Amino acid sequence: MCPGAWIKIKEAIGIWRVGTLPGMVMIALVIILRFTGALQSLEWLAFDNFLRIRPEEPRDERVLIVGINEDDIRYLKNYPISDGDLAALLLKLQSYHPRVVGLDIYRDLPVYSGYSELVAAFKQFPNLIAIEKVLPEEIPPPPALPPTQLGFADQILDSDGKLRRILLGIPTPEAYKLSLSLRLAEVYLAAEVLQLENGTRDRATMRFGKTELPRFLPNSGGYIRTDAGGVQTLLNFRSGENRFRIVSLTDIINNNFNPEWISDRIVIIGITAPSRKDFITTGGVRSSKPATGRVYGVEIQAHSVSQIISAVLDSRPLLNTWADIWEYLWIIAWGCLGIIIAGLTKSPLTNLLFLSLASLFLALWSYLLLTWGWWVPIIPALIVLGLNSIELTALYQHDFLLKSGIQVRQSIIQRTFETIHNGPLQSLAKVLKLVRSQDLPIEELLPKLEKEIEKLNQELRGIYEFLQREPLTQDTSLYLGNSLILNLEDPIHEILYQVYSYTLERDLPCFQTIKIKIRNFDPIDEKYLNIEIKRGLCRFLEEALCNVGKHATGVTRLEVTCSASEGCYTLKIIDDGLNTHSAKEGQGSQQLKSLAHQLKGKFRRVGLSPQGYLCELSWTRSKFWWR
């Protein structure tokens, strides 16, 4: 592997190291927050909304609700409905041969007249299922029915008062009891030669044929350490407004119905009168009756039995959840995506765009998974995605600004040194040479020293004044000396000519012997050059010419050209002097090599035959087009 590639890899590792550890800490904090149950309510809210916005499903014609409403109560002129009226209703319904009838009305005691007729009806119809209450305050079932014709109507509400899961079976001191909806499904599916059995993958749950009812566990979906006693399952409400056909008791009495609605169907009798307040709050159903977010208890039973028989007969999805390990891996994956987004996006606006797209994809994917029967944790995934993306972007920006500040400071130091190196240091070297000279008498040496020191003083003061003129971070100029300041926004061939002219006027010993000067600066396509590159080219030319002036002994011919040919550029200085430059690489040579590296070009300084020197910088436009 080439050194340049290894350097880039180390830089990338350094960048990612800045955000990886804080990102992982943020993921851990969100997981801890979820484990404490702090996100449970938000996960329920997302779950409810996804259920509510699902596409509308067709009405389940296998279920008919006979709802006793306010008009029925006024028609009968009593409430609760008397045993005689209830017996008459059962007899009429049974005359149309329903497959199973569920009575979602408590009848533990006689109500008004007709008790004996009701008991006779109970004994007459083995396809009738009545209700009892087993939790926490018991309401006994009708005394005339055997245990196989009983189902409890208890529902389990979450801490926010909403229903999201149903209880299918529970052990009691008397026996193991089943819910009304499960009893109705059991009788209905028995006609399809499907029996209620224990699960195969999970022996503790229930199944009909190959369809296993997913068992609710303490940490299922968005739940955290919830009571999962008995056998529970999540309730996959039927979506839409027209979920089940509902007829009133008066409709039955007046024959205002189609007999096919009853024949071979599941008929559930219950209360749909708002004044009786037999309703349950839920967030997963679009409902305006009896009130927004509320569903009659008899309709909950319809949803429950419809969920079971639709899953068994139509392969309608039941609601499943992942094991805890997969849910937390899902959260970690989205947190890592937030780290990646923060690392790859360099601006807050770009980060916001990518974060929005990722969040939209997460919400859409979670919604689709729910429609396919899988409830995944969207809220902690969204939180950790957003936090890592936004917070780490701010961290990356801070780190970038910090590194940029360091680079700017280093650039200022470098540029200041270059200015001093090519000006005052050259004068200082001349002073040192005079001091070490033993050929001049003292009376000739002192005036020369005084002149050179005064020149050095002026150069230093000129540099100071230039540095005070404007911040170097915004500087588009180049200081050469003698208060000569070049505008780097001018065409590069004009700037190079000014550098050439100024440098050759300097009092350097080898310039005195030059007889022939050839120079040519071709125009260059400057859209591929920034200010710093132009500054570097000027310093390259100045440094190379100064080397000729100091070291090319006996030089008589100097050729300076900057040419362009098919996207290739060359800046070269050729002299015919006897070069006495030290073989040791100095600061000037390091500057030239640094510029060549910046341009992704080549630098060379080679001797010519029989004498002379070539100093050349070449580069191609395509190698640094991105600048």
Side-chain angles (χ1 to χ4, degrees):
M1 183 179 294
C2 63
W6 179 242
I7 290 173
K8 290 183 179 180
I9 291 174
K10 289 201 295 185
E11 288 177 353
I13 293 173
I15 291 172
W16 287 107
R17 188 184 295 121
V18 172
T20 300
L21 181 58
M24 290 301 175
V25 170
M26 195 61 64
I27 292 173
L29 289 176
V30 171
I31 289 176
I32 292 172
L33 194 65
R34 181 176 191 258
F35 189 73
T36 63
L39 303 180
Q40 183 172 246
S41 297
L42 292 175
E43 294 202 64
W44 288 347
L45 182 63
F47 175 71
D48 292 342
N49 280 287
F50 278 166
L51 288 179
R52 195 162 51 246
I53 65 175
R54 289 177 301 168
E56 187 164 338
E57 295 179 83
R59 182 168 54 199
D60 190 346
E61 298 289 354
R62 292 169 299 208
V63 179
L64 175 70
I65 296 176
V66 178
I68 300 173
N69 58 28
E70 300 289 354
D71 291 337
D72 295 333
I73 294 172
R74 284 190 288 269
Y75 177 81
L76 297 174
K77 298 180 181 178
N78 60 59
Y79 186 84
I81 180 175
S82 69
D83 289 340
D85 290 332
L86 186 55
L89 174 62
L90 290 173
L91 288 169
K92 188 163 188 177
L93 289 173
Q94 291 285 0
S95 68
Y96 294 100
H97 308 294
R99 189 176 296 188
V100 63
V101 176
L103 180 61
D104 189 27
I105 299 174
Y106 291 108
R107 268 299 183 267
D108 56 318
L109 296 173
V111 177
Y112 305 128
S113 60
Y115 179 69
S116 59
E117 290 87 344
L118 182 60
V119 170
F122 284 163
K123 293 179 178 179
Q124 182 180 353
F125 303 119
N127 65 339
L128 173 68
I129 309 295
I131 62 167
E132 62 179 326
K133 191 175 187 305
V134 296
L135 298 173
E137 297 178 3
E138 296 184 7
I139 298 178
L145 289 174
T148 55
Q149 288 183 250
L150 298 176
F152 59 79
D154 299 80
Q155 305 293 348
I156 300 177
L157 303 181
D158 292 324
S159 58
D160 60 354
K162 294 181 180 179
L163 177 73
R164 297 181 181 88
R165 50 201 166 105
I166 53 173
L167 186 61
L168 298 175
I170 189 170
T172 67
E174 295 84 16
Y176 194 90
K177 297 190 176 184
L178 304 180
S179 68
L180 171 63
S181 59
L182 189 63
R183 286 290 190 191
L184 294 173
E186 182 182 24
V187 175
Y188 186 87
L189 293 173
E192 308 290 337
V193 196
L194 293 167
Q195 303 298 321
L196 176 63
E197 301 175 281
N198 288 105
T200 52
R201 293 186 301 271
D202 179 4
R203 294 292 298 172
T205 191
M206 305 171 183
R207 69 179 173 92
F208 289 96
K210 296 181 179 180
T211 304
E212 195 166 296
L213 305 181
R215 186 162 59 99
F216 176 84
L217 300 174
N219 294 323
S220 290
Y223 287 88
I224 301 296
R225 295 184 298 280
T226 304
D227 182 7
V231 177
Q232 304 176 35
T233 191
L234 291 169
L235 180 54
N236 190 7
F237 293 96
R238 201 167 190 87
S239 63
E241 293 288 344
N242 192 17
R243 301 171 291 269
F244 306 102
R245 192 184 303 278
I246 301 178
V247 298
S248 66
L249 183 146
T250 308
D251 290 332
I252 300 296
I253 293 174
N254 297 329
N255 296 316
N256 186 22
F257 63 93
N258 187 336
E260 292 183 356
W261 297 350
I262 300 175
S263 177
D264 206 34
R265 303 288 197 269
I266 299 172
V267 180
I268 308 176
I269 305 169
I271 305 300
T272 58
S275 62
R276 306 307 152 187
K277 298 182 179 181
D278 184 16
F279 45 73
I280 294 175
T281 302
T282 177
V285 177
R286 284 180 287 176
S287 175
S288 57
K289 294 180 180 181
T292 301
R294 291 181 173 178
V295 178
Y296 291 112
V298 65
E299 193 174 355
I300 292 295
Q301 298 296 343
H303 276 288
S304 301
V305 68
S306 175
Q307 167 180 276
I308 297 171
I309 64 174
S310 296
V312 175
L313 300 178
D314 305 331
S315 298
R316 181 177 181 265
L318 294 163
L319 293 180
N320 296 268
T321 58
W322 288 341
D324 289 351
I325 181 65
W326 294 111
E327 289 187 340
Y328 288 112
L329 285 176
W330 162 271
I331 295 170
I332 292 170
W334 286 102
C336 291
L337 179 60
I339 297 173
I340 293 172
I341 290 175
L344 295 180
T345 54
K346 302 303 181 184
S347 70
L349 286 178
T350 307
N351 173 264
L352 185 61
L353 174 62
F354 277 87
L355 173 60
S356 300
L357 291 175
S359 300
L360 181 62
F361 178 79
L362 169 58
L364 180 61
W365 186 239
S366 299
Y367 169 75
L368 290 175
L369 284 173
L370 187 65
T371 61
W372 298 332
W374 291 97
W375 179 17
V376 298
I378 180 177
I379 296 300
L382 272 176
I383 291 175
V384 76
L385 171 66
L387 286 178
N388 272 354
S389 181
I390 295 173
E391 178 257 342
L392 292 183
T393 295
L395 182 61
Y396 282 131
Q397 288 292 317
H398 173 74
D399 182 67
F400 173 76
L401 291 174
L402 185 63
K403 290 180 178 177
S404 296
I406 295 173
Q407 291 175 352
V408 168
R409 186 167 67 249
Q410 290 175 337
S411 177
I412 291 173
I413 294 171
Q414 180 65 26
R415 285 161 53 186
T416 303
F417 176 78
E418 289 173 357
T419 304
I420 295 173
H421 176 269
N422 293 341
L425 284 184
Q426 304 300 328
S427 298
L428 182 59
K430 197 171 182 180
V431 170
L432 291 174
K433 188 175 181 180
L434 287 172
V435 170
R436 292 168 182 165
S437 176
Q438 300 179 358
D439 299 333
L440 293 176
I442 192 65
E443 58 272 10
E444 292 183 23
L445 179 61
L446 289 178
K448 289 187 177 183
L449 283 175
E450 183 178 356
K451 178 183 176 182
E452 293 300 329
I453 292 174
E454 179 59 30
K455 180 182 176 183
L456 176 61
N457 178 56
Q458 291 176 358
E459 288 175 343
L460 290 172
R461 288 181 179 274
I463 293 173
Y464 173 77
E465 292 172 359
F466 170 73
L467 295 177
Q468 291 294 316
R469 185 172 58 86
E470 61 179 310
L472 288 181
T473 55
Q474 304 173 4
D475 188 29
T476 59
S477 58
L478 176 67
Y479 180 79
L480 289 180
N482 293 335
S483 300
L484 178 59
I485 300 175
L486 305 183
N487 184 3
L488 293 174
E489 294 181 335
D490 290 342
I492 185 62
H493 64 281
E494 295 181 5
I495 303 172
L496 291 175
Y497 177 73
Q498 294 180 70
V499 174
Y500 166 84
S501 301
Y502 165 77
T503 308
L504 289 183
E505 292 176 358
R506 295 178 63 171
D507 185 17
L508 294 175
C510 296
F511 285 160
Q512 310 304 320
T513 62
I514 296 176
K515 304 298 182 184
I516 301 173
K517 299 176 183 177
I518 302 173
R519 48 100 180 148
N520 180 49
F521 298 104
D522 290 343
I524 293 178
D525 188 355
E526 296 192 24
K527 66 181 179 181
Y528 302 102
L529 299 176
N530 60 26
I531 293 296
E532 288 306 312
I533 295 297
K534 293 170 75 174
R535 189 192 310 277
L537 291 173
C538 292
R539 290 300 185 193
F540 176 90
L541 179 58
E542 183 186 23
E543 172 68 16
L545 290 175
C546 284
N547 284 338
V548 173
K550 292 185 293 182
H551 306 295
T553 305
V555 60
T556 59
R557 188 176 186 276
L558 178 66
E559 181 181 348
V560 180
T561 60
C562 181
S563 58
S565 175
E566 298 180 354
C568 296
Y569 301 96
T570 303
L571 176 58
K572 60 184 177 180
I573 299 90
I574 302 175
D575 68 80
D576 63 349
L578 182 62
N579 199 299
T580 60
H581 191 275
S582 172
K584 184 179 179 181
E585 187 178 271
Q587 182 65 32
S589 297
Q590 293 177 8
Q591 288 178 226
L592 301 183
K593 288 186 176 181
S594 175
L595 176 62
H597 176 74
Q598 197 174 4
L599 283 169
K600 298 186 182 297
K602 295 180 180 179
F603 163 71
R604 61 176 182 148
R605 180 188 283 124
V606 295
L608 302 176
S609 178
Q611 68 179 44
Y613 239 85
L614 166 66
C615 183
E616 181 182 79
L617 175 67
S618 61
W619 70 95
T620 57
R621 179 178 65 194
S622 60
K623 287 187 177 179
F624 60 98
W625 59 268
W626 51 271
R627 293 183 184 274

